[in-house]
Amino acid sequence: MIEAVGLTKRYGDKTAVHNLSFQVRPGAVTGFLGPNGSGKSTTMRMILGLDNPTAGHVTISGHPYRQLPNAPRHVGALLDAKAVHGGRSARNHLLSLAQLSGIPARRVDEVLGVVGLQEVAGKRSKGFSLGMGQRLGIAAALLGDPQVLLFDEPVNGLDPEGILWVRNLMKALAAEGRTVFVSSHLMSEMALTADHLIVIGRGQLLADMSVTDFISANSADFARVRTPGTEPQAREKLTSALTEAGGHVMPEQDGALRVTGLPLPRISDIAHEAGVRLWELSPHQASLEEAYMRMTQGVVDYRSTDDQKAGLHQVPPPGAGPAVPVPGQGQPGWYAPPPPQQGGPLFAPPPGPYGAPQPNPYAQPAPQGQGPGQPAAAPVTADRTEPEDPR
């Protein structure tokens, strides 16, 4: 499990992440959403110990990444698939990572098979397409068979078959009880892949809830009702009847009616009682993309001037916080992390050789009072990137 408590990161006078608290639980795919420049990559780098927070802290199963013994065996990450030595073959790239972390060479061929690169394992990575590079980065993240996985835009550059493969891979990893944290801008994929969402804007938490609750909290469900086009008086009659019953009716451009405040069976009964024929009576629920756009419209930093001229969005004043309240706060499903506990045991070193049956290290903490052990010296398996531009 990943837990951030009061996480803050400043670059000079620019605050990239401000007082961010959330949990990423095992057994589910958690989507990490937010506009460009919202602080997603900075947050992921702080989780992996690549950037130090200005305030607050983030832990993996209760302990900072740098205190995990042989961290690549516990945590795998894909941050930048392009950060690979172009002169190395795919196999040699993974082999070098495996040797640094004490992982047997046989695991390299296993993950190459998992990501579908076994036929090009001997080719230099500089000749790889963007999609092949993504697969190699995912292979590096899976190399240590970790319980916690972080992916930043994992489907970037992949074809439809590759996107479907990544989607199924994420679900399969979560089904095994692993913690899967995925950052993406593809709302359609998040709707199909994620179970839970963490949404941030301008470095602050906007939502922490299930996908279903997020859509419900940021959209208004309605019913589409259509009467025969040759009977305008029936449309007016139905509008009056629905309004009298407590519904709210709005005409749509195509001649249909948008009805809120009444369930579909009740609308059908009212139409029958009024003697009005219906050509359409269908429910409408907003997509994740619609709900996300509504949630984040006040925290977008980069916006076309055409949008402003058309009145599509209102630009918040400089220095203003999120323009919308945090949906679900104080309601069931809302998570407020408890204050951090001081001390606590570190992970027990993973027993047995790699690949041998062994207890889950996350379920086998060291006894209270045990010494801290040695901090992890192995580098992160994630491809490293340059520090994120806080803008």
Side-chain angles (χ1 to χ4, degrees):
M1 181 174 68
I2 302 170
E3 182 176 26
V5 178
L7 200 60
T8 299
K9 180 63 178 179
R10 299 187 184 92
Y11 297 93
D13 59 355
K14 174 68 175 179
T15 300
V17 177
H18 176 66
N19 196 29
L20 187 59
S21 298
F22 61 84
Q23 274 191 345
V24 183
R25 298 176 177 86
V29 178
T30 300
F32 193 29
L33 308 181
N36 287 334
S38 61
K40 299 190 304 299
S41 295
T42 299
T43 300
M44 284 190 153
R45 290 178 62 83
M46 287 190 286
I47 292 173
L48 296 169
L50 298 175
D51 281 346
N52 293 320
T54 306
H57 66 273
V58 58
T59 58
I60 299 173
S61 291
H63 310 285
Y65 177 88
R66 294 177 181 176
Q67 293 183 16
L68 300 177
N70 200 350
R73 297 279 292 275
H74 296 291
V75 184
L78 167 65
L79 296 188
D80 182 5
K82 299 186 297 295
V84 179
H85 192 299
R88 287 181 179 173
S89 67
R91 177 178 284 110
N92 285 341
H93 169 66
L94 296 176
L95 187 59
S96 65
L97 296 177
Q99 290 173 340
L100 288 171
S101 303
I103 299 172
R106 67 176 181 274
R107 178 61 178 170
V108 170
D109 289 320
E110 290 177 8
V111 296
L112 284 170
V114 169
V115 302
L117 292 180
Q118 61 271 36
E119 294 183 3
V120 294
K123 293 186 177 180
R124 294 183 179 182
S125 61
K126 66 180 179 181
F128 281 10
S129 66
L130 180 58
M132 293 168 67
Q134 288 291 113
R135 289 176 181 266
L136 181 58
I138 293 173
L142 299 175
L143 192 59
D145 196 22
Q147 285 294 313
V148 178
L149 292 137
L150 294 87
F151 298 98
D152 191 2
E153 300 290 350
V155 299
N156 186 29
L158 293 177
D159 57 17
E161 185 278 333
I163 293 174
L164 177 62
W165 166 73
V166 170
R167 184 193 311 159
N168 292 334
L169 174 66
M170 301 295 166
K171 291 181 177 180
L173 292 169
E176 294 172 356
R178 304 175 198 252
T179 300
V180 183
F181 195 34
V182 185
S183 172
S184 178
H185 286 118
L186 297 180
M187 295 299 108
S188 59
E189 271 311 298
M190 283 291 95
L192 294 171
T193 306
D195 305 295
H196 196 87
L197 293 177
I198 293 171
V199 185
I200 65 174
R202 293 181 180 162
Q204 301 181 59
L205 183 69
L206 298 182
D208 183 350
M209 59 183 66
S210 70
V211 175
T212 302
D213 291 343
F214 179 80
I215 294 175
S216 178
N218 293 281
S219 62
D221 296 343
F222 62 89
R224 277 178 54 88
V225 182
R226 188 188 302 275
T227 59
T230 57
E231 302 176 7
Q233 71 280 2
R235 185 170 182 264
E236 296 175 2
K237 185 178 181 181
L238 180 60
T239 298
S240 299
L242 292 172
T243 302
E244 291 176 3
H248 186 263
V249 184
M250 293 181 59
E252 296 195 324
Q253 293 182 352
D254 61 358
L257 298 175
R258 175 181 296 201
V259 182
T260 57
L262 294 172
L264 264 66
R266 180 60 179 147
I267 295 173
S268 177
D269 291 342
I270 293 172
H272 178 73
E273 293 168 1
V276 177
R277 293 187 299 155
L278 297 182
W279 278 9
E280 178 183 353
L281 176 57
S282 59
H284 174 85
Q285 184 182 49
S287 66
L288 176 59
E289 181 178 60
E290 291 175 277
Y292 171 81
M293 294 299 292
R294 180 174 179 178
M295 155 69 77
T296 60
Q297 63 180 335
V299 292
V300 176
D301 290 329
Y302 308 103
R303 195 191 311 281
S304 168
T305 55
D306 290 340
D307 289 350
Q308 298 174 27
K309 291 176 182 178
L312 299 178
H313 300 282
Q314 296 298 321
V315 181
V324 293
V326 179
Q329 187 168 6
Q331 302 298 321
W334 174 262
Y335 169 72
Q341 297 180 355
Q342 299 297 323
L346 291 174
F347 285 133
Y354 179 84
Q358 58 184 9
N360 184 346
Y362 292 84
Q364 299 287 333
Q368 293 287 346
Q370 179 175 310
Q374 298 297 323
V380 183
T381 54
D383 298 311
R384 293 173 179 259
T385 62
E386 293 298 319
E388 180 187 64
D389 185 348
R391 297 174 294 175

